Amino acid sequence: MQEKLQQLKNQALPAIASSKNEAELTDLENKYLGRKNGELTELMKGLKDLNPEEKKNAGQLLNEIKKELEEAINKKREELSNAGFAQAIAGEKADLSQPYLPKKERGHLHPNSIVQKELEDLFTSMGFMVLDGPELESDYYNFEAINIPPTHPARESQDTFYIKNHENWLVRTHTSSNQVRAMEKYGAPLKMITPGRCFRNEATDARHEHTFYQLEGVVVDKNINFGHLKAVLETVAQHLFGPETKVRLRPKFYPFVEPGVNGEVTCLLCGGKGCGVCKHTGWMEIFGAGMIHPNVMRAGGLDPQVYSGFAFGFGFSRLVMLKYGIEDGRLLMSGDLRFVKQF
Ligand code: DAH
């Protein structure tokens, strides 16, 4: 027994000392000291067959060797760990002769994104959720579901890009396409805005683009009335244009609302006195809005006898132009860095 123990020690110590990494060391630890089948553990099991005298001596030796091995392993483990660290930092050095690197140019948000984020902040602070919707849209959600059937003349006011050979598909002409999508998905009560890119086959000029941004809002609950709509629109207008801003609502037909209104705000350039930008009326047309039409409610799976709601929509490319005094809206989508870098 004593011989075996000495043998084990003579084998184990050099192996531990020459192990190259933590994994190797752990293998050795298990091989000799492992609780199950460790070589020393196995020898320990043999102690019970020895006579008392031998048992005492062998037992003592066994404990000594066990301690020695444990110490050797711990020491080696620390060595390996220090060496690993030293190796890790060996390649690092500060190059004091390195020349000053020119500053990388940093990107920034596009003015459209700035205004969109500002509006999202405002609406989420009022408890609205912000939804996304597809730009490639079906005829159904863009028109039919919001009370614009195939023969409806309102379709003519939105020159639509249809997808070739797929008559029922188009790129959305407005964010109103998300009204019924949202009702179907979230039901009532519902308070959402959905900002996004829209497309129309427009001849472009300083105030018209084929690609532009809108923000749509929908509120549905029990007992929602026109007063709620007006309050929300006023809050938005005053947030955007200042606390003095007034909102004027005048009847206007939109198929998906009843009654529908055209929302105007006092011209932020002349404060309502009348100027070139507001065509000397003192007012600027910003919103379309109204109480959601019962047909739209039903398309969204909601009972118009139980629920009521309002919807509004506005183009925020227009707002961006007003906010920054941009005279030609085509600049916004031009990708011209001389323009974009000013924001
Ligand atoms: N979708 C309309 C447009 O693009 C804007 C609009 C008007 C949205 C009235 C609405 C609304 O939600 O109630 O001209």
Side-chain angles (χ1 to χ4, degrees), residues 174 176 179 200 214 216 254 256-257 288-290 311-313:
H174 50 188
S176 305
Q179 291 190 5
R200 282 185 209 175
Q214 281 195 347
E216 187 88 10
Y254 292 102
F256 29 91
V257 281
F312 56 88

